[in-house]
Each structure stands twice: as structure tokens, then as C-alpha cells.
Amino acid sequence: MEILMSIAAGILFMAATYLMLSRSLLRIIIGTGLLSHGAHLLLLTMGGLKRGAVPLLGEKAPVYTDALPQALILTAIVISFGVTSFLLVLAYRAYQELGTDDMDKLRGNENHE
Amino acid sequence: MSLLHIVTFSPFLLAIFVPFFYKYIRKVHTGWFVLPLPVLLFAYFTQFISTVSHGNTYEQSFKWIPSLGIDVRLYVDGLSLLFSLLITGIGSLVILYSIYYLSKTKEALNSFYVYLLLFMGAMLGVVLSDNVIVLYTFWELTSLSSFLLIGYWYQREKSRYGAQKSMLITVFGGLAMLGGFILLYIMSGTFSIREMVQNVGTIASHELFIPALILVLLGAFTKSAQFPFHIWLPDAMEAPTPVSAYLHSATMVKAGIYLLARLSPIFADTSVWFVTVSAVGITTLFWGSFSAVKQTDLKGILAFSTISQLGLIMSLIGVGSAALHYEFLGDNIYVVAITAAVFHLINHATFKGSLFMVVGIVDHETGTRDIRKLGGLMSFMPITFTIAIIGCFAMAGLPPFNGFLSKEMFFTGMVHVTKMDIYNMETWGVLFPVLAWIASVFTFVYSMVIVFKTFTGKYQPEKLAKKPHEAPIGMLVPPIILASLVILFGLFPNLLAHSIIEPAMASIMPALLDTGEKFYVHISFWHGWTPELFMTMGVIALGVLLFITVAKWSKLYSLFPQKLALNHFYDRGLSAIDKGSYSFMRLWMTGFLRDYLVYIFAFLIAIVLGTLFVKDAFSMKFDNLAPVGVYEAILIIAMIIAAFMTVLSKSRLTAIIALGMVGYSVALFFILFRAPDLALTQLVIETISTALFLLCFYHLPEMQRLPKKFKFRMNNFLISLGVGVTVTLVALSSHSTKLFDSITQYFVENSYTEAGGKNIVNVILVDFRGFDTLFEITVLGIAAFGIYAMIKLRLTRKESEE
């Protein structure tokens, strides 16, 4: 399972990178979204996917799944959400002010370096 | 802090007060307040003559950075005493001269004397320091103050050009020298020159010996204007004439010679030293004297003449190192080269200083330095003319002036090279006397040009800006003193022999002396029909012939292509560096975000995959894996399809929905992998993000301006494939090499007993690792404030509306 998940995360990274290399600002932000999904899955996978009970002590199970990566991912999700929403509003504002979302046009000019 | 330290630092101290003298006592020329100091210092240093001539030395130490072994240790021996006397003696004369040369009302005298004192102190520091780091510090201070003095008339473009050129070249050499000093420290474990000399055995057998030697030579050659680094000196002639007289003939350009002489005991016993120093010296000698003849500016002639004479001294120091191969002092014929070097060093300082002052007088009284406009000044300026004759005849090597003696000894040294049986000198050693002789002929020619083109011939009043007349007496006194010294040393050379030259030689070649033994110099053997005398006669004969016919053969100089001139290479090199770095940056820094991302990703792939490959770190184990379930397999396929849809979709809406699909399938993974809190959060957040994306979708422009169809880009694909493969490989190998178990068991055991909660994830978030959560809250808060500010704060629009 871990091998499969590693490959899946790799594919998410690949798609994310491809999107981040494109011209449209929206596609770049979609790319960052994919990238954080890939990273979260990778965190979970690296913690080990052994079957065990949900990490709730009420279950009284002999083995629980690893709770620490879950806590880390939860933090990461919230942070990436904060950043993504900020980026989205930034893109929205950039378009409002500058009238384009084409990264090649958001380059500055000779006098503006 | 001893008296010697106070003496060395006194020019810096006085420099602080110079602006006050200038500002508050305007009636008196500021130079008068500066003049007493070098005179006093000169008197102070003359005291040491008797100590040093008896073979004793004087030393004072002052701690600066003890933890690094750097202390300001000042050390007076023959060599440093000789230089100190030159610096303070000629310094006094130059300051006296400058008082009459520079106008009290028109010039910024405060900066002039501050720079000059800065230079004097730095130069004293260079010659007295025993610690190489302190020496380097003062060395760079001389470069800096020389830069300031060359650019004294900073409103002229040529001054700025010359100052920049000299700065670039001498600082390049200075940094190389610092490298050499550090290598010496690595080899010997000390910064003190004298301790290095004592450890010369370990240094000479060390593998870093040759690199250190070359770096130190670079420093010396650039400072002393040796070929091919001599090009800065002619451009430094834009400085005021007192500066040229002081820095660029008598003192600073001799710092390189001082350095070589000082480090001779460490380096001189190798063939690299002998060959490099003597070959570079003789090349510079020849090239300088050859180029001097074609100059039309008097200071230009003197600049090239300085280059050539420095080459002469340099080649003598190189040749003199051969003396180390012969054990016995008594019949050691190569010692004469060192004697000649020290003697000529003194002679050159005297006659070149006076010549610069003469040229300054001519410039001052006629308004030009161009020899094509000058002529027939003999009757207007008889005293100046006399000094010029003395200086030039000494420079040309004519009797009875001191230049004659040192030139004879120079020839002796060069003739001895042919008798050498080391370093393959039997074959090409004969080049030395030949080149030396030709160079002397040219020296004779340009010396005559200075005297006779300026002071004899036709008087051309229409070309002169002013009516020429004799200079004021104060301006004449310094060159008169120097010219009298030229005659004095010419007639009574042995005045110097015992007091100055012998101790200086003992500092350069200590290895030749046994305990209690002394060099014995007696410069009197110029009576006698030696080959050197015939060489001098030949120089005079051919020189006179060439001088008379100079108009005919000087056209030869125009045959020399300007493109091969070293200045041309320097200028082209500078602009090539400038343009090259500019176009490199244009090429590299495109301004496109995508290009930078490509650099970053490519670097990441190269480094990570490279490390995996080089360290052979990739490993994959198939034990300890969880079994693949049906649901997971289906979910993976669905997620991968959604991921590809985000990339391949033609419309933004499809891409956003596909991203949402990936997010929800991640949430499903969290359910399958037993993470309920994650699944909850992921579901909520994915919903909000998708809504936000749709908000942007509504406000962002249609994609129609971009290519509608999905356009496959091979480069981007390769890069992203590389990133994906890298991540997968790293994930696989890190999963396969787990070195120790997880610490989760602690949380399982303690989350109820210690923290009172049964949800382990939540207990970790708010109890065990509550700080993470605190700052994650902060992140969200900042994001919210940021978004609010972005939307509400619209300063530019308001401004433009107003």
C-alpha cells in the first residue's frame, strides 16, 4: 500500500509542478492546491499505513494508528488553507488592479526593474 | 604603546587636526602646520642610524588582537630604517614644495594634507610592521590614500579614470598578497615575518610554498608597477605634481620592492623566485625605457622612466638571490647586485623626486608640460635648468652623479649573470646584460629629451599660456636639496655604504652572514678599465647618436599597433566584464516567474537525485507494508484521474471541480486510513476552498486569451516528471529505511492519564504540542487580516482618483 501511495503522491506532485509552470495565475494556484494534497498524503503514508484502530482511546483497541502524523497534517491543512485563500484573494485583487492574470504580462517593464 | 608606535601613528593623529587648521587659520597656508611633523620624524629616525649600523635592531610591540596572534610589532632594522628615512625625508621636502605649488585660495588644502598624511602614516606602517596582517592593513591604506590623491581634482574625468585604474590594479595585487600571507601563516603558524624567517626550513619544503610565493609576487609587482601591471602608473600622473613626486616615484611604488626585499630571506632560495623576479624586472626595465621615449608629456616620460628604474631595482633583487648559492661572503660576486639594488633605490628616490619637482615648476611657470610646446627655457629658469641637468644626467648614468655608480654596479651584476651555472643560466643568461644595455641606451635618450627639449632649442612664447620666469625660492629649495644629495652621493658614495647600505643588505640576505660577520661595501672601484665602463661608453655613444636622430626613427613607434597596447586590453577587459555580466544577467534573470521555477525545480531534481545516486541511498523493502485494499485502489485511480483532469482540462471550471475531486478523495483516504479529524477538516476546508476558487473564477478573466486547447510543453513535462519521480523515489527509500520506532506509544499511554482526553489527535494538538496550534491560529489570523487589508486598503486607486 505504501508503495502505491508514494507513487500516487508522486503523480500529484508531477501534476502540481506542471500546473505551476503554466501562464495562468489560477492554474498556478490550483497547482499549489494539488501540491499540498500530495504533501499531506505523503505525510500520512510515511507515518505508516498499518491497520489499527482510530486513535480514540474509547475504542479500547490493542493497536491504534499513528496519531502524531495526523496532528501534523491537521496543522498543515489549516496553514495551507490560510495561504491558499490569501493567494486567491491576491490573484483576485491583482486582476482587479492590473486587468490580467497572465503571468507573462505580470513581469514589470524595463523602467520598473 | 611606545614612542615608536606614537611616531608611526602620529601622521594619522595630525590628519585629524588638519581640517581645523584649514578652517580656522585661513591666513597661513595649511602646509606649514604639516611640515614640522615629517621633519621631526626624520630627525627621530636618524637616531637609529648608529644603532642599526652596528648590527643591532630595535623592536616594540603592542597588542592588537592577541587571540588571533595579531599585534602591532614595529621593527627597525637596516631595510626599514632606509625606507623610513626616505619616507620622512622626501615627505618633508614634498610638503615644503607643495606649500608653494598649491594655491592657498583655490585648492581644497584640507583634503590634500589629510590624504598625504594618511599616506605617510600608512607607508611608515608598511615598512615598520613585522606582523604581516598589520603590514597588509597599512598596504591597503596606501592604496586607498593613493586613490584619493590621484583623484584629487575629482572634477576632471582623467583623474577619476586614473584613480580607478590604480585602485583596481593595486587592490587586486593587495588581495593576492593577503592570500599569500595567509598561506605563509598556514605553513609557519605565525604572522610575524621574523619568526617566519626562522622557520624557513619548514616553509620551503611545504607544498603551499610556490602558491604563496606567486601570490606575494603578484602583490609586489602590481604595487611597484612591474610589467604587465605598470599601466596604472602613467595614468596616475593626473595627480598633483607633489603627489607624483612623493608617491609615484619615491615611496609607494617602492613598497613592492620593500616587500620583496623583506621576504627575500624566506623565498629567495628558489629558482621560481630568481627567474620570475629577474625576468619581470628586466622586461619592465626594457619596456619602460623604450616606451618613455615616445611620450610627449614630461610627466609621462617620468612615469615610464620610474617604471623602468623600478624594473632595474627589481631585476637586481632577483639576480642578487643567486648569491645564496655561494657559501662564502668574501668572493661572492652576486652580492654586488643587492648592493646595487639598495644603492640605486636611494639614488632613484633622490633624482626622480627632484625631476618631478622640476617638471612641476615648468608646468607651474609656463602652463604646459608638453615638450612640443616647450623649449629655450634655459635663460628664463637657470636654477631649474641646473637641477634638471643634474637629475637627468644621474638618471642616464653619467659621472660624476650617483646614477653613474649604481648603473655601473647594475652592469656588473648583469654581466655576472652570464657566469652562472645554475637554473640553465649558461644558455639564456646572456640576454640579461644585452637587454640591460639596450634599456640603458633608451634611458640615456629620454633623459636627454627631458633636458634638451625643454630647456634648449627654440623658445616658443606663442604656445605658452604664461610668460615663463624662475620659480619662487621655496619651490626651488626642495629640488636643490635633492640635487645636492645626488652630487653628494655621487662624489662620496661611501657616506652611505657603512651607515645605510650594509645594514639594509644584512636585512635582505641574513643567511649569508655568520654571527658577528658584516657586509663590507666600498663603492670606489669605478676607477679601472672594467667591461662595465666600456658598456657605459657604448651607452653614451649610441645614446647621443639616437638622440640626434630621434626625429627620424621615432616614427617606428607608430608602427606598433595600438590594439596590442596593454591599456587597450585593460579598457577592453573592463568593458567586456561589464557587458558580459550585464548580458549574463539579462539572459538568466528573465523576469518570468516560470523560468525561475524551472531553475528551482531543476536544481532540486539534480541535487536530490544526484545525492541518491552518488550516495547509493536508494533502497526499497517489501516487508512491513500494509496490504492493498480494494477501496484504496479504486480511490487512488479516481484521484489520479482527477489530478490529470486539472492539468488537461480546457476550461477553468473543470480544473476547479477536478481539484475539488482530488480534495474530497484525499478526505476519503483519511477515512480509510482511520483519521476522522482529518477527514472532517479536509471536507470542510475543501468545500470552502472550492467556493473561493469559484469566487475567483467569477472575477478572473476568461481563459480565452490563453490558448484554448491544452498545449503540451515538453520541457515543463520533463521537469514535472522529474519532480514526481524524485518525490516518489525519496518517499520509497525513506520508508524503507526506518531506523527506529515511532514515539506514538507514549501518546497512547499518556493522553488519558496525563492530559485527560481520549481523542489522541486532539490531545496532541492542544496539550502535548499546543504551541503548533497557537501559531497555526496566528497564521489564520494573519491571513484573515491580510485578506481584509487587501480588499479594503486601496491607496493607489484613491490617489489616482484624486
Side-chain angles (χ1 to χ4, degrees):
Chain A
M1 192 67 232
E2 279 87 352
I3 295 174
L4 223 53
M5 288 304 290
S6 299
I7 293 168
I11 289 170
L12 283 184
F13 270 83
M14 186 176 135
T17 312
Y18 193 89
L19 283 170
M20 286 166 78
L21 293 174
S22 60
R23 282 174 75 174
S24 154
L25 194 52
L26 193 68
R27 284 170 82 94
I28 291 175
I29 302 174
I30 292 175
T32 58
L34 276 184
L35 198 70
S36 49
H37 288 322
H40 299 156
L41 280 185
L42 211 55
L43 270 173
L44 195 71
T45 312
M46 291 298 101
L49 296 173
K50 291 228 198 73
R51 300 288 171 130
V54 174
L56 298 171
L57 290 175
E59 299 276 304
K60 302 223 184 325
V63 185
Y64 296 98
T65 49
D66 201 336
L68 190 57
Q70 296 191 10
L72 296 182
I73 294 167
L74 198 62
T75 312
I77 288 174
V78 176
I79 289 174
S80 68
F81 166 71
V83 175
T84 308
S85 48
F86 186 86
L87 265 182
L88 274 169
V89 177
L90 190 65
Y92 159 71
R93 287 285 296 127
Y95 174 64
Q96 267 194 335
E97 293 290 328
L98 305 169
T100 180
D101 76 330
D102 184 350
M103 288 311 289
D104 286 4
K105 290 182 185 159
L106 293 172
R107 188 174 156 247
N109 51 36
E110 293 297 311
N111 308 324
H112 204 267
E113 278 176 335
Chain B
M1 214 33 136
S2 65
L3 184 58
L4 186 59
H5 283 91
I6 295 167
V7 160
T8 311
F9 287 98
S10 58
F12 298 116
L13 293 177
L14 183 60
I16 298 174
F17 294 103
V18 164
F20 296 104
F21 290 131
Y22 178 71
K23 195 172 175 192
Y24 296 111
I25 314 179
R26 291 305 298 255
K27 282 192 176 171
V28 186
H29 195 286
T30 316
W32 290 115
F33 298 106
V34 179
L35 184 61
L37 180 76
V39 176
L40 275 175
L41 295 188
F42 184 77
Y44 173 78
F45 280 113
T46 48
Q47 292 182 65
F48 285 107
I49 291 178
S50 66
T51 319
V52 166
S53 63
H54 289 97
N56 299 319
T57 58
Y58 181 74
E59 176 184 330
Q60 284 294 336
S61 193
F62 170 71
K63 281 191 171 27
W64 183 22
I65 313 174
S67 58
L68 297 179
I70 298 172
D71 45 6
V72 187
R73 188 188 290 176
L74 302 181
Y75 177 61
V76 183
D77 65 349
L79 190 63
S80 43
L81 180 64
L82 160 64
F83 273 90
S84 306
L85 288 173
L86 279 182
I87 292 161
T88 49
I90 297 186
S92 321
L93 297 177
V94 161
I95 287 173
L96 178 61
Y97 178 79
S98 71
I99 291 173
Y100 290 91
Y101 186 83
L102 292 173
S103 156
K104 191 165 64 178
T105 45
K106 290 176 197 158
E107 304 285 359
L109 291 177
N110 49 349
S111 20
F112 181 81
Y113 287 109
V114 167
Y115 301 158
L116 202 68
L117 282 170
L118 203 63
F119 171 79
M120 190 184 287
M123 200 64 211
L124 275 179
V126 166
V127 300
L128 290 170
S129 295
D130 182 53
N131 189 298
V132 284
I133 297 297
V134 178
L135 195 157
Y136 170 75
T137 312
F138 284 120
W139 182 280
E140 292 297 24
L141 259 179
T142 63
S143 295
L144 181 72
S145 48
S146 162
F147 167 79
L148 291 169
L149 284 167
I150 297 169
Y152 177 64
W153 287 309
Y154 53 83
Q155 62 275 28
R156 299 183 190 170
E157 206 204 326
K158 276 185 147 186
S159 299
R160 299 197 300 268
Y161 172 80
Q164 187 205 35
K165 194 174 188 177
S166 76
M167 183 77 160
L168 285 177
I169 293 177
T170 53
V171 168
F172 160 75
L175 286 174
M177 189 184 82
L178 178 65
F181 285 165
I182 291 170
L183 291 186
L184 278 175
Y185 176 72
I186 292 170
M187 288 187 277
S188 64
T190 173
F191 283 124
S192 158
I193 295 174
R194 281 192 310 148
E195 285 168 28
M196 283 178 198
V197 172
Q198 281 156 16
N199 293 335
V200 69
T202 36
I203 295 177
S205 54
H206 202 280
E207 57 184 353
L208 291 174
F209 179 69
I210 295 295
L213 182 137
I214 289 166
L215 288 173
V216 167
L217 281 184
L218 262 181
F221 287 165
T222 48
K223 198 77 163 182
S224 281
Q226 297 296 295
F227 190 89
F229 306 110
H230 64 272
I231 50 173
W232 66 267
L233 189 58
D235 284 306
M237 291 301 129
E238 294 302 323
T241 302
V243 172
S244 309
Y246 189 38
L247 274 69
H248 305 127
S249 71
T251 52
M252 187 179 93
V253 287
K254 296 206 168 97
I257 288 171
Y258 167 79
L259 186 75
L260 290 195
R262 180 53 86 201
L263 297 180
S264 269
I266 301 175
F267 289 122
D269 208 358
T270 55
S271 57
V272 181
W273 173 279
F274 173 83
V275 172
T276 321
V277 177
S278 51
V280 167
I282 203 99
T283 313
T284 314
L285 165 65
F286 171 74
W287 189 247
S289 62
F290 176 71
S291 308
V293 180
K294 71 172 169 182
Q295 303 298 317
T296 52
D297 177 22
L298 283 173
K299 271 176 105 175
I301 302 178
L302 288 180
F304 278 102
S305 132
T306 303
I307 291 167
S308 131
Q309 305 277 311
L310 291 170
L312 186 154
I313 301 173
M314 201 65 100
S315 67
L316 282 171
I317 287 182
V319 168
S321 73
L324 291 170
H325 292 270
Y326 302 91
E327 294 288 319
F328 304 107
L329 196 55
D331 50 353
N332 197 333
I333 50 174
Y334 300 105
V335 171
V336 73
I338 296 294
T339 317
V342 176
F343 190 39
H344 195 71
L345 187 83
I346 304 167
N347 294 346
H348 178 249
T350 52
F351 66 69
K352 191 53 66 69
S354 71
L355 282 177
F356 267 106
M357 290 173 184
V358 162
V359 167
I361 290 172
V362 169
D363 189 13
H364 207 260
E365 304 307 332
T366 63
T368 182
R369 301 193 308 249
D370 192 330
I371 51 171
R372 287 167 301 191
K373 293 181 187 167
L374 294 168
L377 296 179
M378 185 166 58
S379 50
F380 296 97
M381 304 176 163
I383 305 173
T384 317
F385 172 62
T386 316
I387 302 165
I389 279 197
I390 294 170
C392 283
F393 281 17
M395 185 155 75
L398 298 180
F401 308 109
N402 58 8
F404 170 72
L405 300 175
S406 46
K407 186 144 289 188
E408 290 290 278
M409 289 160 76
F410 167 62
F411 282 149
T412 316
M414 291 297 142
V415 168
H416 286 331
V417 173
T418 52
K419 297 177 189 161
M420 262 180 217
D421 52 359
I422 43 170
Y423 312 139
N424 295 327
M425 271 300 129
E426 307 92 337
T427 46
W428 54 283
V430 72
L431 270 177
F432 279 85
V434 172
L435 274 177
W437 189 76
I438 298 172
S440 299
V441 174
F442 281 111
T443 307
F444 184 88
V445 175
Y446 71 69
S447 303
M448 296 307 115
V449 166
I450 295 178
V451 177
F452 292 109
K453 297 262 172 179
T454 314
F455 292 100
T456 62
K458 222 178 103 200
Y459 172 51
Q460 300 162 297
E462 70 282 356
K463 287 185 182 171
L464 299 180
K466 299 175 186 171
K467 174 122 182 63
H469 56 81
E470 189 56 273
I473 186 70
M475 219 161 166
L476 286 171
V477 165
I480 286 173
I481 294 174
L482 286 173
S484 340
L485 286 177
V486 168
I487 298 175
L488 188 69
F489 295 157
L491 296 179
F492 307 104
N494 292 312
L495 279 178
L496 290 171
H498 183 60
S499 54
I500 303 279
I501 297 178
E502 285 172 11
M505 288 171 68
S507 326
I508 301 173
M509 292 279 158
L512 286 177
L513 297 178
D514 295 330
T515 38
E517 203 178 356
K518 277 182 70 183
F519 281 103
Y520 180 68
V521 175
H522 189 65
I523 309 169
S524 66
F525 47 85
W526 48 283
H527 306 285
W529 297 103
T530 50
E532 296 87 83
L533 198 61
F534 292 113
M535 281 169 88
T536 304
M537 287 173 176
V539 166
I540 296 170
L542 190 62
V544 169
L545 189 70
L546 281 180
F547 175 66
I548 293 167
T549 57
V550 71
K552 287 175 187 158
W553 60 271
S554 62
K555 284 172 195 134
L556 273 177
Y557 284 110
S558 53
L559 291 178
F560 184 74
Q562 199 57 43
K563 276 188 178 173
L564 288 176
L566 285 165
N567 269 323
H568 186 70
F569 282 117
Y570 168 83
D571 292 335
R572 289 291 290 273
L574 265 196
S575 71
I577 290 171
D578 210 27
K579 279 181 193 152
S581 48
Y582 179 71
S583 55
F584 177 76
M585 291 311 282
R586 295 283 301 190
L587 193 73
W588 201 234
M589 298 283 119
T590 53
F592 291 115
L593 185 66
R594 261 181 305 153
D595 291 339
Y596 304 146
L597 282 174
V598 167
Y599 305 154
I600 294 169
F601 285 133
F603 187 76
L604 176 103
I605 296 166
I607 289 293
V608 175
L609 284 189
T611 314
L612 271 185
F613 181 73
V614 171
K615 296 279 175 189
D616 201 17
F618 182 70
S619 70
M620 205 160 127
K621 284 185 201 151
F622 292 97
D623 55 338
N624 219 2
L625 293 178
V628 182
V630 182
Y631 298 117
E632 289 95 332
I634 295 170
L635 203 54
I636 283 183
I637 292 165
M639 189 181 72
I640 290 172
I641 290 171
F644 278 114
M645 271 171 68
T646 58
V647 178
L648 298 174
S649 66
K650 286 167 200 162
S651 81
R652 297 170 299 163
L653 194 58
T654 327
I656 290 169
I657 290 172
L659 179 66
M661 214 170 123
V662 175
Y664 289 125
S665 51
V666 169
L668 287 179
F669 270 120
F670 289 152
I671 295 173
L672 286 177
F673 293 135
R674 312 273 196 280
D677 302 279
L678 289 187
L680 283 172
T681 320
Q682 179 70 23
L683 280 172
V684 174
I685 279 185
E686 196 56 39
T687 313
I688 301 172
S689 318
T690 310
L692 267 172
F693 268 106
L694 290 172
L695 176 86
C696 274
F697 167 78
Y698 182 74
H699 285 285
L700 284 180
E702 287 296 324
M703 270 183 176
Q704 59 204 13
R705 263 181 282 135
L706 301 179
K708 271 188 177 180
K709 272 188 177 176
F710 169 74
K711 204 173 161 189
F712 183 72
R713 289 173 193 274
M714 196 61 195
N715 285 346
N716 293 358
F717 174 71
L718 284 179
I719 294 275
S720 42
L721 184 70
V723 171
V725 169
T726 309
V727 168
T728 308
L729 290 183
V730 170
L732 287 176
S733 38
S734 70
H735 189 261
S736 309
T737 47
K738 284 206 169 120
L739 300 176
F740 40 80
D741 286 336
S742 162
I743 56 166
T744 316
Q745 200 51 40
Y746 173 84
F747 297 123
V748 173
E749 282 160 12
N750 292 303
S751 63
Y752 190 72
T753 51
E754 297 284 328
K758 290 186 176 174
N759 184 334
I760 305 175
V761 175
N762 288 5
V763 169
I764 291 176
L765 281 174
V766 298
D767 195 308
F768 290 121
R769 297 176 57 90
F771 271 120
D772 287 359
T773 313
L774 175 65
F775 291 108
E776 152 197 349
I777 293 166
T778 317
V779 168
L780 268 190
I782 292 171
F785 279 123
I787 289 167
Y788 181 79
M790 268 198 294
I791 290 174
K792 284 288 175 189
L793 207 66
R794 304 209 167 166
L795 296 174
T796 47
R797 178 161 293 178
K798 266 185 197 161
E799 275 167 17
S800 59
E801 276 168 7
E802 282 163 10

